[in-house]
Structures are given as structure tokens and as C-alpha cells.
Amino acid sequence: MKELRVVISGGGTGGHIFPAVSIANAIRELRPDAKILFVGAEGRMEMQRVPQAGYEIVGLPIRGFLRPLWKLGNIGVALDYLKSKRMAKKLLRDFQPQVAVGVGGYASSAALGAANSLGIPTLLQEQNGYAGLANKQLAAKASKICVAYEGMERFFPKEKIMMTGNPVRQSLLDTKMTREEALQTFGLNPDKKTILLVGGSLGARTINESVLQHLDLISTSGLQFIWQTGKYYSEEIARRLAAAQADPQLSAMNDYLKVSDFIADMGAAYKAADLVISRAGASSISEFCLIGKPVILVPSPNVAEDHQTKNAMALVNKGAALIVKDSEASEKLIPLAVETVKDSFKLKSLSENVLKMGYPDSARVIAKEVLKLAKAE
């Protein structure tokens, strides 16, 4: 059997990186001998996360275009793109992959564009219900396009589309912890209902402000909270919480509010939670569908074509999630969460409905398509 070599490119956020790593892991399961090389963007999150997952990655000096497009700085962005594409071509010639996989993000536009120009078969994986710019540009020359939402023929050639769902972090599915054990790892009480707040890999100001504005309600709710703030906001939040603890009513805050800039073991965090508050990124939604976790979604308004609202409504319309608008979150989010987590019937209904929407073998299905394109089944 000839050696299998695969390039996987994309990143920028956890929503691109986690599926990419899941696909790589699934390829390795099918072909343990596979040589897999990641191509990312210098200075972006993938340059840390991919090596942590055990894979080699090469960074390109590629950046996103500034808005509006006529800004002078875009001349430098365009030059960096051309340089990145030249680098990617040399990289591909040296590595000689049989197939290239793009998961969206800056780097994939250069790496997959180079693969197309060298005649290397390409597979795209689109996580969202609204296609990203890189994948839309690459679709015409792609061999296969794996999607997670209906109606994607609006963006891609229908004959290339395959419904696979989004791959998720395997650790979330593999965790053997009980709820009680998971709560113990956070120093929390197994007899109390728990709400997990996550703003995505970079944090979410709106969710963070919602917590800070309702510390009184949180302190009297009888509930406990696990709160991932994101690194960007962690110092400011630590200062504000320290100031708030001067209030005698909030002095015991550390007993019921566990604050972290980043949660490494999301499997434990999800297992501990009775309800999750989250942005509506595609990867996060796919995770909730597979683990059956009740969730309140707060779509980010800062994304192309408001695609997070479209992601969220796919669940809300089937009674599989609740939604709070970003503009209303500071007022409504925490009161709704406190009310919902105390309603056992509502939690059970949300859990049952969201489970019906999962694609449990997504990474493996995509990996098999990658092997087909590489003629390495």
C-alpha cells in the first residue's frame, strides 16, 4: 500500500481548528501510517492548537482583507496572499500530498488554491449554514464539499455537496467522567444545578457583561456557574470581580462562580453543566447536538451575513435550543438561564430535541471521502 500524504489547511478560530483536527484523527484511525501536514496562518490560534493535538503545522504570512476593501493596507494584504500562495506551492511540491482538505479561514484560500493549480484533488468542509468566503472561492475546483446544513446549493455546485455534519472534538464524546466527578474537578457541589458559560475560543464580551451585570441574581439563585471568559477579557473581569467582592453579599462568590480564561477539558465542563450558554458557532452547535446538552444561544453579530443567527435558528425552530439576541443579552440572558435550569421538563425537552439533530460519525465519514480522493482506501 502506497504511503498516504494529506494536507489540511484552515483556522483562525476554534470553529475551524477543532473540525480540522477531528478529521486528521479520523484519517489516522483509518490509516495509522498517514503523513498529515497542517498549513495555517502565522500568529493565529492554529499555530498553537494543532501542535498541541500532535500534528506538524507550517504557517503562512496570510491575513484577512481590511474593510472597506479600498483601504491602502490591503495592498500589503494582497502581497502577503501572493507570497503565501508561492510558499504553499513549494510546500506542496516538497510534501507531495495526494489530497488537500480545506476547513475555511485565511490559510486555506492560499493552500487549497495552490493545490488546485497543481492538480491535487481537494475536499472542502464548510461548518456554517452560510458559506465562508474562502470556501466559496475554492468551490468551483473542489472535488467534494462536505456540509452540515440543508440548502447549501445556494453557494456550492449541488453535485459536489455531501451532507456529513460537523466533526467535533473526540474528547467530548470519549469522556468517562460522571457528572459528580466533573463537578469535583471544578470544586463545585454535585447537589446544585450548574450553568456553563462559554463565549467561544476568543471569549464574548456580551456574555461576560451579562454575568457582571447580574452578580446579585447569581448570588441568590442557589445555582453554580462555570464561566470561560476568554483570554482577551480575563484581566478586566478579574479586576471587576475583585471589586464586587467588597460587597458582603458577594464575598463568597468563589464558592459558586468558577472563572477561567480558557477551559482545557471541555468534556468535563459539558458533563458538569445542566445548561450551557454559548455563542452559535457551527462547531459548538454540532457538539451540543451530539451530547444532547440544553443550550441558550447568543449569536454573535460580528460574523459574515449573520450566519450564527442562521445556525441558531436551525435548532430553535425544532425546539432544540433557546435564543437571546446579542443586543438583549445583558438584560435577559442570565434571568432566562436561571429560570430555564430550574425547569426540569424544559431541560429534558431541549435535550431530547437537540440529540435528534446530531451526525455522530461526521469526522469518519469525511475521512473516508478524503481516502477516496487520495485513491488510498
Side-chain angles (χ1 to χ4, degrees):
M1 190 182 291
K2 70 174 179 178
E3 185 177 67
L4 174 61
R5 289 174 172 262
V6 181
V7 160
I8 301 178
S9 185
T13 67
H16 292 309
I17 298 161
F18 297 137
V21 170
S22 295
I23 293 167
N25 292 342
I27 292 169
R28 278 264 170 90
E29 280 183 25
L30 295 170
R31 284 287 301 268
D33 63 314
K35 297 280 191 297
I36 300 173
L37 177 66
F38 279 76
V39 179
E42 288 175 358
R44 302 291 286 183
M45 189 190 298
E46 59 266 25
M47 301 308 295
Q48 284 182 305
R49 296 275 187 269
V50 169
Q52 286 169 1
Y55 294 97
E56 183 186 352
I57 186 166
V58 176
L60 302 176
I62 194 164
R63 298 175 284 150
F65 279 100
L66 306 170
R67 299 288 190 271
L69 287 174
W70 57 81
K71 278 194 174 181
L72 270 179
N74 280 327
I75 296 171
V77 175
L79 291 172
D80 280 345
Y81 172 78
L82 295 172
K83 181 181 177 184
S84 294
K85 195 165 177 186
R86 284 197 304 272
M87 287 173 65
K89 268 190 177 178
K90 182 180 186 311
L91 193 68
L92 293 174
R93 285 195 183 104
D94 291 345
F95 186 66
Q96 295 191 322
Q98 290 103 328
V99 61
V101 179
V103 296
Y106 310 142
S108 67
S109 61
L112 274 284
N116 286 332
S117 65
L118 294 172
I120 297 166
T122 59
L123 177 144
L124 304 180
Q125 198 265 325
E126 174 56 58
Q127 295 96 37
N128 292 292
Y130 191 93
L133 184 60
N135 280 347
K136 282 195 282 191
Q137 289 173 336
L138 294 164
K141 293 187 176 177
S143 303
K144 185 71 71 174
I145 304 169
C146 298
V147 302
Y149 290 89
E150 303 289 348
M152 297 303 285
E153 58 273 7
R154 289 176 297 154
F155 310 106
F156 304 132
K158 188 174 182 179
E159 68 279 4
K160 296 182 179 184
I161 293 174
M162 182 176 183
M163 177 65 78
T164 61
N166 283 323
V168 303
R169 293 171 280 188
Q170 198 60 36
S171 60
L172 302 182
L173 307 179
D174 292 345
T175 184
K176 300 292 190 287
M177 277 188 194
T178 63
R179 176 178 176 274
E180 289 71 24
E181 288 167 343
L183 285 163
Q184 282 173 6
T185 67
F186 291 97
L188 291 171
N189 184 343
D191 297 325
K192 289 188 175 182
K193 288 281 181 74
T194 303
I195 295 173
L196 169 66
L197 302 110
V198 282
S201 49
L202 302 175
R205 179 180 290 279
T206 303
I207 292 176
N208 291 342
E209 284 296 328
S210 301
V211 178
L212 291 166
Q213 290 184 33
H214 287 91
L215 291 175
D216 287 348
L217 174 57
I218 286 169
S219 72
T220 58
S221 66
L223 305 170
Q224 48 198 10
F225 296 76
I226 301 168
W227 179 17
Q228 178 181 288
T229 63
K231 284 187 168 61
Y232 182 78
Y233 303 104
S234 60
E235 286 184 20
E236 178 198 351
I237 287 168
R239 283 196 303 273
R240 291 172 69 177
L241 289 178
Q245 281 179 295
D247 180 338
Q249 185 185 330
L250 302 177
S251 60
M253 187 190 302
N254 292 339
D255 293 341
Y256 54 81
L257 184 63
K258 301 298 176 180
V259 185
S260 172
D261 61 350
F262 179 76
I263 298 171
D265 188 352
M266 282 304 296
Y270 283 150
K271 185 68 79 169
D274 297 284
L275 175 71
V276 180
I277 292 171
S278 173
R279 285 301 201 196
S283 289
S284 297
I285 284 181
S286 296
E287 290 169 358
F288 304 139
C289 292
L290 286 180
I291 60 179
K293 195 57 65 171
V295 61
I296 300 176
L297 297 168
V298 186
S300 171
N302 308 313
V303 293
E305 303 294 332
D306 197 24
H307 71 239
Q308 285 205 3
T309 297
K310 295 178 176 71
N311 292 348
M313 291 310 298
L315 270 63
V316 173
N317 290 336
K318 296 192 176 180
L322 302 178
I323 188 171
V324 173
K325 287 182 182 177
D326 188 86
S327 59
E328 299 176 353
S330 59
E331 177 192 348
K332 296 181 178 178
L333 181 58
I334 298 301
L336 176 62
V338 169
E339 176 191 332
T340 303
V341 82
K342 293 180 178 180
D343 184 342
S344 296
F345 178 80
K346 186 68 175 175
L347 290 182
K348 185 170 185 287
S349 172
L350 288 168
S351 179
E352 288 174 352
N353 289 337
V354 79
L355 268 174
K356 294 172 187 170
M357 301 185 70
Y359 288 85
D361 295 316
S362 179
R364 190 177 180 86
V365 171
I366 295 170
K368 285 183 174 178
E369 289 302 309
V370 172
L371 297 192
K372 281 183 193 173
L373 290 177
K375 297 184 169 53
E377 289 179 283

